[in-house]
């Protein structure tokens, strides 16, 4: 890739959104902010979200919806790299937030589902109906992990449902171009899952013992983070340890695009031809731009 450094000195950037004006809005998990990066590389903090803002996406009303993990990480310095560490004892759960770009108002939309607190909301994607799928990453505890899951919710606060539970470490989430499949990257397993959509907001039942279909397990020690889908259906997942972007074909074949950061966390697509890729390199606190070899899938809503 023809990687170009656009801006740096972020505090663990994630959740990039390619805006129509050429800017990029992203989260800074450690700084606890939603930040705009202008085309010239200058930065503007839009709001302090508190907690740990992770994923972000434009909804049907033009607002930004944020999956906030509630401050699920202690932060470690490893040879000058910022690395997410254990969950602090003070962590009580995460939440879904709505930020109004016009008024600057920040509101909390969901904190629980069926009386059970959200643990660590991580990433989200809107479907054509205007609802959103989101992943809950779970979190680490001294005794082990709290499981994560897949959820579906509406933007007016009227509905949230848990569609899969007891998943190890759900992270990046996206929809196939026809929206018949929800893709989910599991961080610790290095696995890309596929879940068939029975109807909007509802996953089909598991097929046997597995919660979904396995697209691919990466070999060796590779971890998966957030993702974006190409217009042709490939799923581009940010890859940790083997820093870069791994493009998964639905048939299970893969190709890897290296990025000079062990903790590459996310990618989004923009530009007139949807071939401009924005990549967050989080351990080094950088945002890169690249020309992608194929067009990305245009999201349902933008601003």
């Amino acid at each position: 890739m023809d990687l170009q450094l656009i801006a740096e000195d972020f505090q663990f950037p994630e959740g990039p959104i390619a805006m129509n004006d050429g800017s990029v809005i992203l989260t800074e998990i450690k700084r606890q902010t939603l930040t705009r990066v202008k085309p010239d590389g200058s930065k503007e903090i839009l709001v302090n979200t508190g907690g740990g803002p992770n994923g972000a996406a434009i909804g049907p009303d033009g607002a930004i919806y944020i999956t906030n993990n509630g401050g699920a990480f202690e932060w470690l310095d490893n040879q000058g790299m910022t690395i997410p560490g254990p969950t602090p004892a003070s962590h009580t759960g995460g939440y879904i937030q709505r930020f109004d770009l016009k008024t600057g108002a920040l509101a909390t939309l969901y904190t629980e589902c069926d009386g059970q607190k959200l643990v660590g909301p991580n990433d989200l994607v809107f479907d054509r109906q205007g609802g959103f799928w989101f992943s809950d990453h779970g979190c680490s505890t001294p005794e082990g992990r709290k499981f994560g899951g897949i959820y579906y919710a509406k933007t007016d606060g009227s509905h949230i449902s848990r569609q899969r539970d007891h998943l190890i470490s759900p992270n990046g989430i996206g929809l196939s171009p026809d929206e018949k499949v929800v893709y989910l990257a599991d961080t610790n397993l290095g696995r890309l899952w596929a879940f068939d959509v029975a109807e909007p907001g509802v996953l089909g039942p598991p097929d046997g013992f597995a919660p979904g279909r396995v697209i691919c397990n990466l070999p060796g020690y590779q971890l998966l983070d957030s993702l974006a889908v190409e217009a042709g259906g490939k799923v581009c997942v940010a890859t940790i340890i083997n820093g870069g972007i791994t493009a998964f074909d639905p048939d299970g074949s893969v190709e890897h695009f290296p990025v000079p950061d062990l903790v590459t966390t996310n990618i989004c697509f923009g530009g007139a031809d949807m071939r401009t890729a924005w990549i967050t390199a989080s351990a080094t606190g950088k945002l890169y731009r690249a020309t992608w070899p194929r067009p990305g899938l245009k999201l349902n809503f933008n601003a």
Side-chain angles (χ1 to χ4, degrees):
M1 296 185 294
D2 58 338
L3 280 177
Q4 179 184 359
L5 178 63
I6 300 301
E8 54 189 334
D9 297 322
F10 297 102
Q11 293 186 25
F12 213 85
E14 246 274 26
I17 305 170
M19 304 296 286
N20 289 336
D21 64 1
S23 69
V24 173
I25 293 178
L26 50 76
T27 61
E28 293 187 70
I29 303 180
K30 183 180 178 183
R31 183 175 272 139
Q32 304 179 333
T33 61
L34 195 66
T35 303
R36 185 190 295 272
V37 184
K38 299 176 183 179
D40 63 2
S42 62
K43 294 176 285 188
E44 172 194 7
I45 292 177
L46 299 179
V47 67
N48 189 313
T49 64
N54 206 113
I58 300 289
D61 54 359
I64 295 180
Y65 290 78
I66 303 164
T67 42
N68 192 312
N69 64 40
F73 302 117
E74 293 180 353
W75 297 98
L76 310 176
D77 184 290
N78 188 325
Q79 302 177 46
M81 295 184 294
T82 301
I83 306 294
T87 301
S90 59
H91 181 257
T92 59
Y95 33 90
I96 305 298
Q97 295 173 299
R98 177 188 182 274
F99 176 68
D100 191 315
L101 279 165
K102 295 179 181 178
T103 68
L106 179 71
T108 298
L109 196 60
Y110 296 103
T111 61
E112 61 179 39
C113 177
D114 298 329
Q116 181 178 324
K117 282 187 175 182
L118 300 175
V119 181
N122 187 282
D123 197 12
L124 74 164
V125 63
F126 279 89
D127 64 13
R128 293 173 187 139
Q129 286 71 34
F132 59 98
W133 295 93
F134 74 92
S135 61
D136 189 318
H137 188 63
C139 73
S140 61
T141 75
E143 293 76 31
R145 280 198 63 80
K146 289 184 180 179
F147 288 118
I150 300 175
Y151 293 76
Y152 185 82
K154 294 183 178 180
T155 58
D156 61 1
S158 66
H159 171 83
I160 181 172
S161 63
R162 187 180 300 105
Q163 293 295 311
R164 285 293 189 276
D165 207 344
H166 288 84
L167 300 177
I168 302 298
S169 47
N171 201 310
I173 194 165
L175 285 164
S176 61
D178 61 10
E179 301 199 353
K180 293 182 178 180
V181 176
V182 170
Y183 290 109
L184 179 81
D186 188 295
T187 300
N188 293 345
L189 297 181
R191 175 181 298 167
L192 182 65
W193 288 103
F195 300 88
D196 295 323
V197 177
E199 59 184 89
V202 179
L203 295 181
D207 183 13
F209 291 105
R213 293 181 285 110
V214 176
I215 298 298
C216 182
N217 293 307
L218 289 184
Y221 187 58
Q222 301 184 64
L223 308 179
L224 293 179
D225 210 296
S226 298
L227 62 82
V229 178
E230 295 181 7
K234 289 180 182 285
V235 184
C236 301
V237 190
T239 309
I240 299 173
I241 307 301
N242 184 18
I245 305 295
T246 303
F248 295 80
D249 192 273
D251 67 8
S253 59
V254 301
E255 56 183 326
H256 185 75
F257 300 86
V259 173
D261 192 308
L262 292 178
V263 191
T264 303
T265 58
N266 210 333
I267 179 173
C268 74
F269 295 109
D273 59 1
M274 293 299 291
R275 288 186 58 200
T276 299
W278 301 92
I279 299 169
T280 50
S282 297
T284 57
K286 296 177 180 179
L287 175 68
Y288 289 100
R289 182 175 61 202
T291 300
W292 201 250
R294 300 169 293 269
L297 179 65
K298 191 173 181 63
L299 298 177
N300 288 309
F301 308 105
N302 53 57

